[in-house]
Amino acid sequence: MFRNLLLLILLCVFTGCGYNEFGELSAPARDDLPMNIELKELRAHYKGEPVTINAPLVIGGYVTANDRSDNFYRTIIIQDVDDVSEPTHGAVELRIGLYSLYHLFPEGRYVAVRAEGLTLSDYNGILQLGLEPAESGSTLPGYFGYRAVMDQYVVPGTSSCVVEPIVFEHVGNFSETMCGCLVRITSVRLAADTSVTWGIESGWNNKPQTAYRIFIDRSGTSFAVVTSGYADFAGETVPREEVSITGILSYGRTDTGREMYMIKMRDIRDVIR
Amino acid sequence: MKKTILLVFAVLAGQSLCGQNNEYDYYLKNDVVQQGFLFGLNSEPELFYFPPEGSADLFTRMSTYNFSAVRYARRGYDYFGDGAVLNGIDLSDELDGYPDYSLLSGLRRAKLPSIRLVGTDVADMGNSVLGETEEFVADATSFAPGHTVSVYGTNRRQRFGLKVSSAGTWARHWSYAVSGIRRWGRDATVQGVFTDETALSLMVSRSLGLNHRLTFYALGTANERGMRSSATREAFDLTGDIYYNPSWGYFDGEVRNSRVSKEFQPLFLASYNGKVRDKTELEVSAAYRFGKSGYSSLAWYDAQTPYPDYYRNMPSYADNPTAATLITELWERRDPVATQVNWTELCRMNAMSSDGSAYILEDRMEDIRRFQIVATARTRFDRRTEAVYGLRFKTSRTRFYKEMKDLLSGAPVSDIDCYLIDDEMFGDKLANDVRHPDRRIDVGDRFGYDYRMRSDRYEAFASLRYTDRRFRFAASVNASQSTLRRQGYYEKELFPGNRSFGNSKRLSFETYAVKVAAGYSFSPIHNINLSLQSGRTAPEYGNLFLSPNYTNETIAEPKTVGQTAADLDYVLTLNPMKCKIALFYARTTDATEVYRYYDDLFSVYSDMMLSDISKRYYGLEAALQYDLSSRLSLSAIASWGRYTYDSDPTVSIVEDASGEIRVTNAKSYLKGYRCSTSPGRAVSAELEYNAYGWIASLTYSYMADRYVSATPLRRMERAYNLAASPEGFTEFVSQERLEDASVVDLFLLRSFSVGRSRMTLLFSVNNLLNRKFIYGGYEQMRIMRRGSGTSQQWTPFDSKYLYGYGRSYYVSVSCKF
């Protein structure tokens, strides 16, 4: 009997291999898709109205803004850096149309885009790439909307570089060619006397609304900080003291109809006291 | 020499072990529903090729295996309609009410003798189930002495197996029966499915004089199994693969499954059996079972679902024709980036995350501690009359919790409710346990939920039998009192205080079952039997709590479930023919079911409680055995039945997060809908040749009248009134009938002597003709909205299905010496 027990033990010796172990992920098999045109040259292809790119352009840049705080909705912004990793004035918004993009496109991740067949347009000075507009007459490129579609054009890379903001002291130094870029303006104050929050969590129709908070720089020039009511920091109070603001630059019309430069923050950490 | 042969067997089998990870190899309520669903699909040929010894019921023997190609439960009773007993120990789970599949599987593989009782058969222990009860006997003296070594190969659920068993006597008065089984390998047909199992069964009996015996038994099965998930017809059609399994994907080129179950819950039993008086035998058994089981699942935090067949990922959802075409192409060419879990991308995203993994693999665990003691006395008053009576006590402590299985290349996560992250109302109440806030969860840590279910049950039973030459009478009664309570160890921020932490209300149920059976033999040829049953059983714990993972909240009016049943059968024994025809009827009433689901009309996670559920089961069973000659026999069974809902349950819907009652006293018009547990018509015929050490059989089985499991949601006015047309209405309320299924099975066995040993070669092929058919299906609790404003349309989600196995084989070589 004891010999048989030994045989039973033998059974246990031949344990199965790990059928479902994960372990460490190996290094990626492929290099990043190289660009054949710099992002800052993309603006030359836009002539004032939506245009379909017919050339096999491949652009690339590093993610500077995503939907992590829900201030950017279903889109990401990528910006190029030069050889010494200094930010350039090349940036574009990609109209992805999916949710929770910040996992796939964290800040700093390299993203390449096969632009052929895509529509290039502009909104508040920011270049946008996407599918053809969903409605006729619209200037907004359509969202990719589906992962399978996005994968045809957008190729997440393996390299990364945290893009530093271009620093300004005066609004007057902004230019429209910088729209879409990550900027920081220092020493600015809220123009309003009353206490306000960054966004409107519950507006006139009980729904979240976008708010435009006017700030002034030391020279007294105004600009707006635009925040969606859905942003996770929308309910936080705007500081009254002098701060620095980082975000994506654009130029457009506020809710009161004034045209001015606007900055959209990525999250509450973009306010530096 | 014998040892050498055995070692050769073991080594040859062991050679096949490694290499199973090769990606080129062919690559398994709603979880409770899925587990019950897969019960039959997991059945394996070796469990049923040697029918339990002592089972005289031909229908039982043939139906259990021959109809297992489709979802089958005898007489339509769901899987919790069955019971199992081991030396008087009730093996039913006190919380679910049904016997554990892997425990039953272990007992059958260990070849414990058993008998099967059907329906209203009067059992000595006074069992109260409607379905089959399998009574196992652990007694080492009942095993034929000798040693057996078996090696087998199959292409279904695993590849290879090795079994060693030995029985005999050892020293004076000691008998033993031991067996060890090792089986492993990947399924040859369904990718992601695998088995890795080791089971040991150790039994020792000690005779204490002529009439007394002590038995000690230990059964332990450690297993890990890759599971298969159901999918929509769209996914099967696009991939062109009826065995498409969305649960797996590639990780660095290797197949990895997100749904893996694992278990190690050994059972220890001690039994005393002896004659305590002239006419009275006493059996006292005590059993203790402990250990853990669990199954893995992907979870994600504020991220897109990783499951490839999520409805928004399918071409049918795309309203952009270009996108639909592109997605279709990806699915049709079976690009794993689209059709399977993309493990590599999940891991890369996690590695880039600065705030912990966005995607994790979690284990949903159950840690059981169960003790039971039963004392049964049997008194034979005379040669015609005997009584069996006894007492039983069962206590069970089951701890439920989640455990971090793998962070998938990411960093530890916060213990927060991932379903509330984007919730507008409760997005600031995320903590799963406010008593241990801000915990970061690493691999092996508990998180999510942690609670224990405590149940105790006191039972008394008695049965009386009278048998004379022509007349038989039996009656049994079983009465019990059981209590159930939840104890939460986490205080959930959403449900503060006693709503989640500490003890729930104590639920108490008094149940009973009364069975009466009488039979009369007109002659040795003609016999009739009539059995009646009435009683009430306790409901499953999952139907007593609205959301047991998170709250102590119970349903409003917990009730026991009523059961009545009747059997009338006629047995004809006229050599060379034996025939049995049985009419059966059963009805259950006052049942309650709780569904946890996402309500698309309210756009919130909700709990739906159905009460006053009644079901009716009636039909006919027939079995025939005809000896065509001394070597050739024909066996055939047939069943016809209708298994339907017999009431329109009352429905309440509660919003899960807020507890707000959204719907009360509504109706789900389920009356008349079919229970999907079993085909309404089933026939099987087997021709067997048995002579000169050969057994060969060819079996044809046909199963029809099969239906997809109906969801109560679609039979509510709030759902079907959304239909915009008569066709849309039909789409909501009609119950899909599945195609009829038929299989041909072949079985060959050759047994011969080699010296003093006995060799047995077995070869079987299931579904010889490789027929394709759906094993079973269920409707989803989701309704899809398309468009907006006046063009808005609502349609039910597609149902999900599992296909039955195609041609599969089983080969074994045994040596008994």
Side-chain angles (χ1 to χ4, degrees):
Chain A
M1 175 183 161
F2 295 107
R3 281 178 292 184
N4 295 324
L5 280 177
L6 281 176
L7 283 169
L8 283 177
I9 293 167
L10 256 180
L11 276 177
C12 301
V13 169
F14 291 101
T15 54
C17 302
Y19 288 101
N20 224 60
E21 304 297 323
F22 285 87
E24 290 300 315
L25 195 60
S26 60
R30 55 174 173 78
D31 294 327
D32 290 346
L33 185 67
M35 60 178 120
N36 59 19
I37 174 177
E38 290 189 11
L39 253 181
K40 62 187 178 190
E41 297 169 26
L42 189 64
R43 195 172 282 278
H45 291 261
Y46 178 66
K47 306 297 182 192
E49 56 184 28
V51 61
T52 301
I53 296 178
N54 293 316
L57 303 182
V58 180
I59 56 167
Y62 298 88
V63 177
T64 52
N66 54 34
D67 60 353
R68 187 187 182 92
S69 68
D70 288 327
N71 202 17
F72 290 85
Y73 180 62
R74 302 170 81 188
T75 65
I76 62 170
I77 307 238
I78 60 172
Q79 183 173 344
D80 201 1
V81 297
D82 63 18
D83 292 340
V84 291
S85 297
E86 286 294 313
T88 70
H89 291 186
V92 68
E93 181 177 7
L94 302 179
R95 304 263 298 164
I96 307 287
L98 298 173
Y99 297 95
S100 301
L101 293 169
Y102 68 97
H103 294 297
L104 186 59
F105 302 111
E107 285 175 23
R109 188 174 193 181
Y110 179 77
V111 177
V113 182
R114 297 188 182 97
E116 185 175 10
L118 293 182
T119 297
L120 178 67
S121 188
D122 164 293
Y123 179 76
N124 284 354
I126 301 176
L127 283 181
Q128 297 182 319
L129 270 177
L131 298 182
E132 63 181 56
E135 295 165 11
S136 105
S138 169
T139 59
L140 279 178
Y143 287 118
F144 295 121
Y146 304 92
R147 182 62 195 266
V149 175
M150 185 200 83
D151 285 344
Q152 302 299 303
Y153 301 99
V154 180
V155 185
T158 53
S159 60
S160 65
C161 169
V162 176
V163 178
E164 293 296 326
I166 308 168
V167 182
F168 297 90
E169 290 186 356
H170 302 288
V171 175
N173 293 338
F174 291 156
S175 73
E176 288 192 35
T177 58
M178 293 177 202
C179 285
C181 293
L182 183 66
V183 301
R184 175 180 294 152
I185 185 158
T186 59
S187 307
V188 295
R189 279 182 183 276
L190 181 68
D193 291 333
T194 54
S195 176
V196 291
T197 56
W198 289 105
I200 302 169
E201 288 184 302
S202 183
W204 61 272
N205 56 357
N206 291 325
K207 289 187 181 301
Q209 288 181 346
T210 297
Y212 298 81
R213 303 306 182 203
I214 307 300
F215 281 74
I216 50 175
D217 66 9
R218 280 192 175 171
S219 67
T221 311
S222 304
F223 71 98
V225 173
V226 54
T227 305
S228 164
Y230 291 98
D232 62 8
F233 60 92
E236 297 214 20
T237 304
V238 178
R240 306 298 306 277
E241 68 268 34
E242 201 172 76
V243 295
S244 298
I245 303 263
T246 306
I248 301 299
L249 184 69
S250 63
Y251 186 88
R253 208 182 289 273
T254 68
D255 54 346
T256 59
R258 288 174 64 185
E259 282 199 356
M260 61 176 62
Y261 282 104
M262 297 188 284
I263 290 178
K264 193 172 202 181
M265 299 193 295
R266 285 89 50 87
D267 55 47
I268 198 60
R269 292 172 300 177
D270 278 346
V271 181
I272 304 169
R273 292 170 198 257
Chain B
M1 179 60 182
K2 272 186 255 180
K3 205 161 92 174
T4 307
I5 293 172
L6 290 169
L7 280 171
V8 166
F9 262 114
V11 168
L12 282 176
Q15 293 297 324
S16 316
L17 271 171
C18 293
Q20 295 302 320
N21 289 343
N22 189 327
E23 65 177 353
Y24 296 111
D25 286 344
Y26 273 103
Y27 309 103
L28 317 126
K29 199 174 179 335
N30 211 356
D31 297 324
V32 173
V33 170
Q34 279 275 350
Q35 285 178 35
F37 202 59
L38 293 169
F39 186 98
L41 202 62
N42 292 340
S43 61
E44 289 149 24
E46 74 273 20
L47 296 177
F48 305 102
Y49 269 123
F50 298 98
E53 291 174 13
S55 172
D57 190 285
L58 175 64
F59 192 97
T60 304
R61 279 196 292 114
M62 285 183 70
S63 64
T64 311
Y65 180 68
N66 294 359
F67 298 146
S68 65
V70 300
R71 189 177 180 199
Y72 173 76
R74 189 165 176 187
R75 299 184 179 181
Y77 307 137
D78 214 326
Y79 54 90
F80 44 74
D82 292 339
V85 172
L86 170 66
N87 284 23
I89 296 291
D90 181 3
L91 299 178
S92 301
D93 184 324
E94 199 55 38
L95 298 181
D96 305 304
Y98 64 92
D100 182 81
Y101 163 75
S102 72
L103 179 60
L104 283 189
S105 179
L107 292 171
R108 289 171 184 156
R109 285 205 176 83
K111 295 288 196 284
L112 262 67
S114 72
I115 59 168
R116 274 200 165 122
L117 302 173
V118 182
T120 51
D121 285 354
V122 173
D124 289 341
M125 306 296 166
N127 64 305
S128 58
V129 298
L130 286 177
E132 291 186 356
T133 300
E134 192 164 3
E135 293 191 354
F136 294 92
V137 176
D139 174 10
T141 63
S142 66
F143 284 78
H147 316 293
T148 307
V149 177
S150 305
V151 178
Y152 74 82
T154 180
N155 63 341
R156 181 167 156 163
R157 292 202 56 78
Q158 67 237 281
R159 291 300 188 95
F160 300 99
L162 174 64
K163 180 180 176 182
V164 175
S165 63
S166 177
T169 56
W170 149 58
R172 274 187 80 187
H173 309 303
W174 288 95
S175 303
Y176 73 92
V178 300
S179 69
I181 296 169
R182 181 88 185 89
R183 52 199 194 114
W184 65 93
R186 294 187 182 276
D187 191 296
T189 308
V190 185
Q191 277 200 300
V193 174
F194 64 86
T195 299
D196 185 359
E197 180 176 292
T198 303
L200 286 176
S201 167
L202 305 169
M203 190 186 307
V204 169
S205 291
R206 169 81 157 97
S207 297
L208 307 165
L210 273 179
N211 297 312
H212 302 271
R213 187 175 64 249
L214 267 179
T215 297
F216 300 97
Y217 180 53
L219 173 68
T221 303
N223 71 45
E224 189 177 34
R225 293 181 292 140
M227 313 294 281
R228 182 173 152 195
S229 293
S230 51
T232 60
R233 258 196 230 279
E234 181 184 14
F236 293 125
D237 291 345
L238 286 170
T239 55
D241 179 7
I242 60 173
Y243 304 114
Y244 167 68
N245 179 10
S247 298
W248 70 272
Y250 286 111
F251 175 81
D252 260 358
E254 302 286 342
V255 172
R256 293 293 179 261
N257 197 335
S258 63
R259 287 184 64 87
V260 174
S261 77
K262 61 182 182 184
E263 180 177 321
F264 182 60
Q265 294 175 324
L267 169 76
F268 296 91
L269 170 83
S271 263
Y272 162 77
N273 199 298
K275 200 167 184 178
V276 295
R277 284 192 179 174
D278 185 35
K279 296 183 180 183
T280 301
E281 290 174 10
L282 176 68
E283 181 177 52
V284 180
S285 297
Y288 182 65
R289 190 168 183 225
F290 69 99
K292 297 181 184 181
S293 67
Y295 66 92
S296 65
S297 182
L298 274 166
W300 51 99
Y301 294 83
D302 191 29
Q304 295 180 37
T305 173
Y307 285 110
D309 62 337
Y310 179 58
Y311 74 99
R312 287 175 185 253
N313 296 337
M314 305 302 291
S316 58
Y317 184 77
D319 49 13
N320 177 321
T322 306
T325 302
L326 193 57
I327 300 170
T328 300
E329 283 172 6
L330 288 170
W331 275 80
E332 285 178 345
R333 67 167 190 258
R334 304 201 63 181
D335 188 334
V337 169
T339 64
Q340 309 300 150
V341 177
N342 194 340
W343 291 110
T344 303
E345 180 171 278
L346 300 185
C347 291
R348 293 212 193 286
M349 283 195 279
N350 282 348
M352 290 187 296
S353 172
S354 58
D355 195 29
S357 292
Y359 296 91
I360 59 165
L361 205 53
E362 61 186 26
D363 271 330
R364 297 176 186 181
M365 302 297 298
E366 287 184 27
D367 188 345
I368 65 170
R369 300 278 185 269
R370 291 178 186 160
F371 173 76
Q372 184 177 158
I373 184 165
V374 59
T376 312
R378 183 187 302 270
T379 298
R380 288 195 175 83
F381 299 104
D382 52 46
R383 62 188 180 87
R384 295 195 174 110
T385 315
E386 75 169 24
V388 177
Y389 43 95
L391 298 169
R392 176 183 288 119
F393 170 68
K394 287 173 79 168
T395 182
S396 164
R397 305 287 181 264
T398 306
R399 188 109 176 215
F400 296 88
Y401 57 91
K402 283 204 288 192
E403 189 174 272
M404 184 64 71
K405 185 181 172 82
D406 202 304
L407 288 164
L408 302 177
S409 303
V413 300
S414 295
D415 188 9
I416 58 172
D417 190 332
C418 56
Y419 296 103
L420 290 178
I421 290 175
D422 280 333
D423 193 288
E424 289 177 9
M425 293 287 291
F426 303 103
D428 58 347
K429 289 183 168 40
L430 298 181
N432 283 324
D433 184 17
V434 296
R435 293 181 181 234
H436 301 92
D438 305 320
R439 274 195 317 139
R440 301 296 290 187
I441 310 302
D442 207 338
V443 174
D445 290 342
R446 286 189 196 190
F447 73 107
Y449 57 79
D450 185 358
Y451 68 99
R452 185 171 70 166
M453 297 301 293
R454 296 159 49 182
S455 75
D456 297 302
R457 181 182 166 107
Y458 300 86
E459 189 177 326
F461 52 87
S463 66
L464 179 71
R465 288 182 196 275
Y466 172 82
T467 309
D468 71 13
R469 261 185 26 155
R470 291 181 184 271
F471 180 68
R472 300 170 293 282
F473 174 82
S476 71
V477 62
N478 172 308
S480 71
Q481 201 262 351
S482 58
T483 59
L484 181 69
R485 166 178 270 172
R486 178 188 185 276
Q487 181 181 6
Y489 292 100
Y490 281 3
E491 183 178 349
K492 193 166 172 64
E493 190 171 7
L494 189 63
F495 305 115
N498 185 240
R499 289 185 69 192
S500 58
F501 184 81
N503 290 325
S504 71
K505 187 169 69 174
R506 189 164 162 272
L507 300 173
S508 180
F509 300 99
E510 286 71 44
T511 63
Y512 70 92
V514 177
K515 294 191 182 186
V516 174
Y520 188 79
S521 300
F522 294 94
S523 69
I525 298 171
H526 305 282
N527 286 272
I528 62 167
N529 300 285
L530 173 67
S531 324
L532 303 169
Q533 174 182 344
S534 179
R536 298 197 75 86
T537 62
E540 295 177 55
Y541 91 99
N543 291 327
L544 291 170
F545 291 84
L546 286 183
S547 193
N549 285 351
Y550 301 109
T551 81
N552 284 333
E553 204 78 30
T554 61
I555 62 172
E557 294 174 14
K559 275 194 246 180
T560 53
V561 179
Q563 293 180 343
T564 51
D567 271 20
L568 176 66
D569 62 67
Y570 164 73
V571 180
L572 171 71
T573 309
L574 181 63
N575 277 331
M577 179 175 75
K578 291 172 206 148
C579 168
K580 180 177 178 180
I581 298 172
L583 299 172
F584 64 89
Y585 175 90
R587 190 164 185 268
T588 60
T589 57
D590 300 326
T592 303
E593 289 173 9
V594 179
Y595 295 84
R596 291 144 203 116
Y597 70 111
Y598 182 79
D599 192 301
D600 292 279
L601 301 185
F602 295 140
S603 300
V604 291
Y605 288 100
S606 302
D607 305 317
M608 175 188 285
M609 189 186 79
L610 271 72
S611 57
D612 304 319
I613 302 172
S614 296
K615 295 183 183 177
R616 187 170 56 172
Y617 315 82
Y618 65 90
L620 175 148
E621 288 176 347
L624 167 75
Q625 184 160 355
Y626 195 97
D627 294 326
L628 299 168
S629 72
S630 61
R631 295 168 194 165
L632 195 64
S633 65
L634 172 70
S635 302
I637 59 172
S639 76
W640 175 90
R642 288 291 292 264
Y643 322 121
T644 59
Y645 282 88
D646 203 35
S647 70
D648 297 323
T650 304
V651 182
S652 299
I653 299 176
V654 175
E655 186 178 325
D656 194 53
S658 67
E660 180 189 347
I661 299 174
R662 294 289 201 118
V663 170
T664 185
N665 282 325
K667 284 287 184 189
S668 176
Y669 296 99
L670 280 171
K671 186 169 182 179
Y673 279 84
R674 305 292 192 106
C675 301
S676 65
T677 45
S678 209
R681 285 178 291 142
V683 171
S684 183
E686 178 182 289
L687 193 62
E688 181 182 285
Y689 174 84
N690 188 343
Y692 306 120
W694 282 97
I695 300 177
S697 74
L698 193 66
T699 307
Y700 172 78
S701 303
Y702 171 79
M703 295 137 289
D705 273 354
R706 308 185 304 125
Y707 290 84
V708 168
S709 177
T711 171
L713 176 67
R714 280 165 51 174
R715 280 83 196 174
M716 295 178 69
E717 285 184 5
R718 63 187 286 260
Y720 61 66
N721 281 347
L722 297 169
S725 64
E727 292 77 23
F729 175 81
T730 302
E731 200 179 344
F732 266 96
V733 302
S734 65
Q735 185 176 22
E736 182 186 354
R737 180 172 166 170
L738 299 173
E739 75 271 23
D740 299 349
S742 63
V743 291
V744 174
D745 302 324
L746 173 70
F747 174 83
L748 296 171
L749 185 147
R750 173 79 173 107
S751 184
F752 54 93
S753 298
V754 175
R756 292 162 73 178
S757 303
R758 188 87 187 157
M759 295 289 293
T760 302
L761 310 175
L762 188 155
F763 173 72
S764 74
V765 180
N766 299 118
N767 195 359
L768 185 67
L769 304 180
N770 204 23
R771 291 267 168 86
K772 313 287 187 217
F773 46 82
I774 291 174
Y775 172 84
Y778 64 93
E779 296 174 357
Q780 298 194 66
M781 293 268 289
R782 297 288 309 262
I783 305 175
M784 191 178 310
R785 179 179 60 183
R786 288 188 177 273
S788 58
T790 53
S791 65
Q792 185 174 269
Q793 275 196 327
W794 295 87
T795 53
F797 268 50
D798 291 340
S799 297
K800 288 202 165 183
Y801 310 89
L802 276 179
Y803 274 82
Y805 272 93
R807 188 183 303 125
S808 60
Y809 70 85
Y810 178 88
V811 179
S812 81
V813 178
S814 300
C815 177
K816 189 175 167 74
F817 54 94

